Amino acid sequence: MTFPNDLTALIETTKGFMPAHEGMALYENAKEFFTGGVGVEIGSYCGKSTLYLGQAARETNSHLVTIDHHRGSEEHQIGWEYHDLELADDHGVIDTFAVLRATIAQSKLTNSISAIVGRSATIAKWWSKELDLVFIDGSHTEESARTDYESWSPFIRTGGALIIHDVFPDPNAGGQAPYLIYKMAIDSNNFVETFALDSLRVLRRI
Ligand code: SAH
Ligand code: MG
């Protein structure tokens, strides 16, 4: 199965922070780890990375659950670097949920993706299902990234994947929180790195 052209077109017009080459790598890696189970994405935003993961889920008869409170991360808030006026209401409150729904509706992936609106840690509290993969691309504060890692990595099955975006070993290249949890995972001796491309890292649970 080749990556559908109409999906490529939809991804191009979907707002977000997943460069196409990293997105394709995300898709290829996710296909290897999906075995008919469930994968979780932290940080849906408008659905750009969701489409790559959702297509991988579809091709493997798996399912993607994408999680976001849809109020944006720190850098999306008013006055910050990545604030997008189109995603905020008159009071400056961000809501990306409607956009995510529209993105999923326009894709052919509605049977392969479920969206949950809420805080990652809150959802992890009641979650119990073993996971084929977890993709962490949420808030980049140290506390939030660590919480995402600590609350979701225990659900990854042996042989499953922890995938992290925005990992920058060089502090001059970007924020350090994703790199910190990447190191935590390696240092735990529960994960080995199987793939790296730019800021994308794939770790297999051993
Ligand atoms: N994966 C997206 C980008 C995600 S941006 C893409 O490829 O385009 C990060 C997202 O994480 C934001 O939408 C923000 O609302 C969400 N987020 C931040 N902290 C969160 C938390 N604690 N729980 C759930 N979502 C969170
Ligand atoms: Mg990212």
Side-chain angles (χ1 to χ4, degrees), residues 159-176:
L162 171 65
I163 310 178
I164 308 173
H165 196 227
D166 303 307
V167 173
F168 297 108
D170 175 4
N172 296 316
Q176 292 295 284

Side-chain angles (χ1 to χ4, degrees), residues 16-18 41 43-45 48-49 68-73 76 118-120 137-139 144:
F17 308 97
M18 181 54 64
E41 171 180 56
S44 333
Y45 197 62
K48 204 177 188 78
S49 50
D68 201 308
H69 51 45
H70 289 286
R71 293 302 187 205
S73 294
H76 304 135
R119 284 184 57 240
S120 147
D137 196 19
S139 158
S144 194

Side-chain angles (χ1 to χ4, degrees), residues 3-205:
F3 201 76
N5 285 334
D6 52 350
L7 187 62
T8 304
L10 179 60
I11 287 168
E12 271 171 19
T13 57
T14 300
K15 292 176 190 248
F17 308 97
M18 181 54 64
H21 67 293
E22 285 180 296
M24 282 311 286
L26 178 64
Y27 158 75
E28 296 288 353
N29 276 279
K31 270 204 299 185
E32 279 178 35
F33 287 96
F34 267 133
T35 56
V38 172
V40 161
E41 171 180 56
I42 315 293
S44 333
Y45 197 62
C46 298
K48 204 177 188 78
S49 50
T50 312
L51 294 174
Y52 292 105
L53 290 168
Q55 178 66 20
R58 182 186 177 186
E59 290 181 32
T60 54
N61 290 315
S62 305
H63 199 82
L64 177 73
V65 173
T66 186
I67 292 173
D68 201 308
H69 51 45
H70 289 286
R71 293 302 187 205
S73 294
E74 292 70 20
E75 68 274 22
H76 304 135
Q77 303 308 316
I78 208 156
W80 288 70
E81 192 178 356
Y82 293 103
H83 183 64
D84 183 337
L85 276 175
E86 288 174 7
L87 297 173
D89 68 12
D90 294 347
H91 306 282
V93 177
I94 293 166
D95 188 351
T96 50
F97 183 47
V99 183
L100 175 72
R101 290 192 75 176
T103 302
I104 296 171
Q106 285 172 71
S107 74
K108 296 193 177 79
L109 302 170
T110 43
N111 293 333
S112 305
I113 302 172
S114 301
I116 303 183
V117 181
R119 284 184 57 240
S120 147
T122 309
I123 294 156
K125 276 199 184 124
W126 54 259
W127 190 271
S128 59
K129 197 170 175 62
E130 191 174 70
L131 297 170
D132 282 341
L133 63 89
V134 168
F135 174 57
I136 299 183
D137 196 19
S139 158
H140 290 164
T141 69
E142 215 174 283
E143 192 193 344
S144 194
R146 188 187 293 120
T147 304
D148 287 343
Y149 167 69
E150 286 174 348
S151 43
W152 287 99
S153 62
F155 293 110
I156 302 168
R157 64 170 171 80
T158 303
L162 171 65
I163 310 178
I164 308 173
H165 196 227
D166 303 307
V167 173
F168 297 108
D170 175 4
N172 296 316
Q176 292 295 284
Y179 179 57
L180 179 94
I181 61 168
Y182 158 81
K183 278 201 303 190
M184 285 174 75
I186 298 284
D187 292 346
S188 75
N189 292 321
N190 291 325
F191 292 94
V192 288
E193 183 169 330
T194 60
F195 182 87
L197 175 68
D198 288 346
S199 77
L200 190 70
R201 296 289 181 283
V202 180
L203 310 177
R204 182 165 45 82
R205 188 177 196 107

